[in-house]
Structures are given as structure tokens and as C-alpha cells.
Amino acid sequence: MDYKNILKLISENLYCGIFIVDKDGRVVFYNQSINDLAGLKVENAVGKHMLEIFPKLTEETSTILRTLRTGEGLKNYVQNYYNYQDKRVTILSSTIPLYEDGQLEGVLEIFSDVDKYNNMNQSKSSKSFMENTIYTLNDIIGNSKEKKELKNKIKKTANSNSPVLVYGETGTGKELVVQCLHSESTRSNRPFIAQNCAAIPSTLFESILFGTALGSFTGAKDSKGLIESAEGGTLFLDEINSMDITLQAKLLRFLQEGHIRRLGESKSHEVDVRVIAALNEDPYDAIEAGTLRKDLFYRLSVINFSLPPLRENKKDIVEISNYFLEFFNNKLNKDIRGFSDEVLEFFKSYDWPGNVRELKHSIEYAVNITESNIISKSDLPDYFKLKNKKANAAEVKITDDLSTEDSSSLLTLSEQVDQFERKVIIKALKQYDCNISKTSKKLGLPRQTLYYKMDKLSIKMDKTLD
């Protein structure tokens, strides 16, 4: 029996792709799969290095090259990448190291189309992780020290069963981090259930979280809650500070004991779920405001991620901008080659109150609107122009001595208090290199209060502080 021809026949009729590379990363076998995810013909693959075929991959982002480097395989790994035809695809892959006499001689990777899987399963009532997680480590863009540390921390903590707390302003990428923790973990082939706590009335949330037992109240049925639905996987609770304080106590009990009891049940049972929570403000501010229990915070933050706003970490802004440009070029069938120097300088100086999400949507707008192959400042959303106009009209040169003793005598008490506050805040900002978190702690103010005062007193973190 000709096993080589049988293998060829099997590979040509599988609804998945197969790559086999040697120890140098060169392709020795490739099947042009039915769904052709790689967008690649056999003759353009065999004999070539993986980075030659897929130039947008790197030694770090390629699962095949990673396995060659580490000798460790990956199973059921969801990843996004641009194929040979520069089309963005999402695949589920298993990467297997090939050893001979104890030596790593190559890698086998089998991959299939996540979207096809979802379409085949969309009629199912229960949602699998395939339908909910779309992000992996490849989607964390940037090569700064901070981004590398973030990726490394995710890798280190992904397989832990300990709870996680992720916090940062809206648009900083909290759900991206959460999904990466799931997709990098051994739970990746189990459910990923996400729920925004602010979206459910407090009167209903307990039954939705813990489930109900038959007859526990009028019309109640035996029904799984979010926790049971995530059995073996990950439960993501966003805006945890919107959850009723009483219910937070019951969630804390589950985190401590690992057992739940449906509403109306007399006995409890064990559930294996990793809980990840997020909030869009400093957790200490939430505790002070009475919206987050202190004991729940300590239990959730066994592992914690504090995501800085974009204005405090712009080292990767050009790379992120180019990534979004490439993404929308593909999505909108455009061929825009880059940004003008003026736009890039604006991106670096703008404070981005909406963070990465605002940057993404701004680039999407520009790609839609531009008639050139280079995005210029006139292609950016109109509100940027309005904001700049107002800022220029209101901007005042700020120094440490804002007024003389004589002029202060002409001011009201309230105006003199404002003047004093202004000087104190400017001094603290200079001391901490305009780091809002450190400045707010130094002054004993919540971050939002500091922002309010800076806006009220026309304090801007630019040349006005010189």
C-alpha cells in the first residue's frame, strides 16, 4: 500500500490546512486546503522560509517559529494573521514539534477556519469560546518595553487559576488583555463567558449569575447561571463596580469556596471557573465611592493588570496607527500608504481621552474620507479641529508665579484660592513628569478630580508647563 499517496489524498480532502517545516523553518510540505486559508499555492510554499511567505509575521508572532525556538507545542490556539494574499484571517491551530532521536527536526501545524466553525455552530444555544474570543497576543501591538512586559505577564499568569482584576480607562484594551489570558491558557478550548455588570438590573443579576432551580419563584425553571455556563473556562465580569454590593459579597463567597447554589436550591456544588473582573477607574476610587467591596477587591486582585491611558504611554503610537491603517485598508478595500508627518506629530501630542479606541475610530474615519494615498490632518474627524480651536483660544502661558502680590489684592478670595491650587498642581506635575497617577496620589486627589481641576484652571500638559 502506498502510504505517501494515501497521506496526499487525505491532506487534499481535509477541511483544514497543513504545514510541515524543517528545523530551519523552511516548508517541506503544504496542502492547499479546501478553504485555502493561507491564500497560497503549493509551488509558492515548498522550499521557502515561513517569514518569506508571510512577511508580516515575526519570530515572536509565528506559532511555527515559536515552537521551533522553544520545542513546545500549542494546542487549539486561536490566532489572527495576514495570509499570503494580505487578507486578515482567524484560525484555530495546533502546532506540534517533530522529534527524531531526541532532536527537534521540524514542526507540524494543522489549522482550520474559526469563522467556518462559528457558522456551523451558530444555531447552538450555548456559546463556545470560538464565538466570544477573537483576540490573542498577536493583537497586542507594539515593541516598547511596557508592551513586552505586558505580554510576558499574560504568558506567566494565563495558566493560573487565581482570580484577575484588570483596570484602566475606557478604551485602554481591558477586554483584549482578558481574552489573551483565556486564549493563552489551558482553558482556551472551554467556554469564555463575558458579561457587562452594568447591563443587567440588580434585581435580576443574582439569578443570571448563579442560576435558578425549578419552582424557586413564579415561573422559575432549572437554569444555569453565568458561572455554571463557564464551567472549565473563564468568566469575565466587566464593570464589576456596577454590581450590587450585596451580590458582590456572594461572588466573594464563591471565589473563596468554589461552590455555588442556584436560587431555590438547598445544596451547593463545585464549579471550576476562572473569574476575571475589570473596571474603568482606579479600584481605590471605587472602594472610596462605596461601589466596590474592599474584601472583594483584595480577592480579585491576586493577579492584577493596570493599563495606562494612551496619553501616558505613546511609545507605540506610530506602530499602532500603522496597524489600524493596514487593518482598515483591508477591510475597506483601500490602498493608503501612510500618514503625513503633521498627522503623526499630532497623534503624539494629542491627549487621547478615548485612548486606543479613539485612535482606531479616528483612523477608520480618515481611511473612509481621504481622497489621497497619504492621510493628512484635514482627513481627521472634525471634532479634532474644534477641540484645537478651543484649546488655542483658551491657552494661557503658565509660570510658577502667575501674579504679583499687587495684582492678587484685586482678586476675590475664590480667585486667589484657584490661583494657589493652580500653582500647587503645576509644581506636582513637574515633579512627577506629568504622570497623572503619581501626581494625584501626591496631592491626595482621585484622578478624575485632578483632571477636573486641571481643566477648570486651564492647566495643560504641554509647553505651558515650561
Side-chain angles (χ1 to χ4, degrees):
M1 187 175 290
D2 190 339
Y3 291 104
K4 286 187 178 179
N5 280 333
I6 291 174
L7 176 60
K8 184 174 182 292
L9 185 65
I10 292 171
S11 68
E12 287 174 350
N13 288 277
L14 280 175
Y15 207 77
C16 63
I18 299 173
F19 270 113
I20 302 177
V21 304
D22 63 19
K23 61 184 177 182
D24 297 317
R26 295 189 176 278
V27 178
V28 295
F29 179 85
Y30 164 67
N31 77 319
Q32 193 169 342
S33 60
I34 292 172
N35 48 354
D36 198 17
L37 285 169
L40 182 66
K41 294 185 181 296
V42 174
E43 56 267 26
N44 292 329
V46 175
K48 293 185 178 178
H49 193 276
M50 289 299 294
L51 296 185
E52 187 180 354
I53 299 171
F54 304 112
K56 290 184 180 177
L57 288 177
T58 66
E59 294 277 350
E60 184 177 311
T61 59
S62 167
T63 49
I64 288 177
L65 297 181
R66 187 193 311 178
T67 297
L68 274 178
R69 187 174 66 253
T70 65
E72 298 176 358
L74 294 165
K75 187 177 180 182
N76 294 331
Y77 184 83
V78 180
Q79 60 175 313
N80 298 305
Y81 77 103
Y82 288 92
N83 70 9
Y84 188 72
Q85 295 177 350
D86 211 26
K87 177 184 176 184
R88 184 178 170 87
V89 295
T90 304
I91 64 171
L92 175 69
S93 63
S94 289
T95 313
I96 305 156
L98 302 175
Y99 286 93
E100 187 174 330
D101 297 327
Q103 296 295 316
L104 183 62
E105 294 295 334
V107 170
L108 162 68
E109 182 164 278
I110 304 170
F111 55 96
S112 56
D113 189 345
V114 166
D115 293 330
K116 291 285 185 184
Y117 182 98
N118 284 342
N119 291 335
M120 291 165 60
N121 290 278
Q122 62 184 359
S123 61
K124 294 185 178 180
S125 57
S126 61
K127 293 185 176 181
S128 70
F129 81 104
M130 294 285 192
E131 296 170 291
N132 288 274
T133 57
I134 58 173
Y135 298 122
T136 68
L137 282 178
N138 294 338
D139 293 293
I140 299 179
I141 307 303
N143 287 300
S144 64
K145 178 185 175 184
E146 291 79 5
K147 284 292 172 65
K148 289 177 179 177
E149 287 176 350
L150 174 61
K151 291 180 184 180
N152 192 41
K153 186 174 180 180
I154 290 171
K155 289 178 184 177
K156 284 181 177 179
T157 58
N159 282 325
S160 171
N161 291 321
S162 299
V164 180
L165 184 66
V166 183
Y167 53 96
E169 294 178 11
T170 298
T172 50
K174 295 185 290 296
E175 185 154 0
L176 170 60
V177 170
V178 172
Q179 290 196 18
C180 287
L181 284 165
H182 178 78
S183 62
E184 283 288 308
S185 74
T186 53
R187 297 177 181 267
S188 62
N189 61 345
R190 301 295 296 163
F192 175 87
I193 305 293
Q195 179 61 56
N196 188 310
C197 298
I200 301 177
S202 58
T203 52
L204 298 176
F205 206 163
E206 184 173 0
S207 62
I208 289 172
L209 186 62
F210 293 102
T212 58
L214 184 64
S216 56
F217 52 86
T218 303
K221 300 177 181 178
D222 273 320
S223 176
K224 287 184 179 180
L226 295 173
I227 294 174
E228 283 185 274
S229 297
E231 170 70 46
T234 303
L235 174 62
F236 171 41
L237 297 172
D238 197 9
E239 296 193 54
I240 189 72
N241 50 324
S242 296
M243 181 184 287
D244 181 79
I245 288 291
T246 304
L247 189 53
Q248 287 185 27
K250 295 181 179 181
L251 175 63
L252 174 62
R253 188 178 302 116
F254 165 69
L255 291 172
Q256 291 172 335
E257 299 172 0
H259 290 77
I260 68 160
R261 186 167 60 208
R262 293 182 186 178
L263 266 67
E265 272 188 336
S266 57
K267 60 180 181 179
S268 61
H269 57 279
E270 187 175 358
V271 182
D272 173 27
V273 171
R274 188 184 198 186
V275 175
I276 303 178
L279 68 164
N280 56 13
E281 64 175 324
D282 188 308
Y284 290 105
D285 290 346
I287 291 170
E288 186 179 334
T291 58
L292 179 66
R293 288 181 62 105
K294 187 181 291 186
D295 48 4
L296 179 61
F297 163 67
Y298 290 132
R299 185 69 189 102
L300 283 172
S301 62
V302 172
I303 299 170
N304 60 80
F305 291 82
S306 175
L307 304 184
L310 186 56
R311 64 183 167 273
E312 291 182 11
N313 186 13
K314 296 183 181 178
K315 296 175 185 176
D316 298 305
I317 200 164
V318 174
E319 189 173 351
I320 295 170
S321 299
N322 287 328
Y323 172 83
F324 286 139
L325 177 60
E326 187 176 1
F327 175 80
F328 288 117
N329 266 337
N330 282 280
K331 184 177 181 180
L332 302 173
N333 197 27
K334 294 290 190 84
D335 186 26
I336 299 167
R337 298 176 186 175
F339 304 91
S340 70
D341 291 342
E342 185 183 21
V343 168
L344 291 177
E345 285 304 312
F346 174 73
F347 282 177
K348 292 174 185 176
S349 62
Y350 182 61
D351 61 358
W352 298 110
N355 295 296
V356 177
R357 184 180 293 130
E358 183 184 5
L359 174 61
K360 178 182 179 180
H361 293 162
S362 301
I363 293 171
E364 181 179 8
Y365 173 90
V367 172
N368 272 290
I369 210 78
T370 188
E371 295 178 353
S372 172
N373 61 4
I374 296 292
I375 290 176
S376 64
K377 203 167 180 182
S378 62
D379 297 319
L380 297 179
D382 291 340
Y383 73 84
F384 282 138
K385 303 163 195 172
L386 293 171
K387 187 166 184 178
N388 279 348
K389 190 174 181 181
K390 289 180 180 178
N392 290 336
E395 191 166 331
V396 178
K397 182 70 178 178
I398 299 174
T399 61
D400 284 339
D401 297 310
L402 293 170
S403 61
T404 63
E405 194 172 325
D406 292 335
S407 62
S408 67
S409 63
L410 302 175
L411 301 176
T412 66
L413 177 62
S414 176
E415 288 170 337
Q416 290 185 60
V417 170
D418 284 348
Q419 191 180 80
F420 177 76
E421 279 194 345
R422 197 181 193 192
K423 290 177 68 174
V424 171
I425 291 171
I426 289 171
K427 184 177 180 180
L429 283 167
K430 286 181 176 180
Q431 181 180 350
Y432 292 104
D433 295 324
C434 293
N435 184 299
I436 292 294
S437 295
K438 292 180 179 178
T439 303
S440 62
K441 287 179 182 177
K442 167 69 176 177
L443 297 175
L445 296 172
R447 288 165 56 98
Q448 295 304 318
T449 302
L450 177 58
Y451 279 126
Y452 166 76
K453 286 183 176 292
M454 288 173 64
D455 183 60
K456 176 187 173 185
L457 301 171
S458 298
I459 300 173
K460 302 180 187 302
M461 292 190 295
D462 53 22
K463 293 181 181 178
T464 59
L465 288 179
D466 294 339

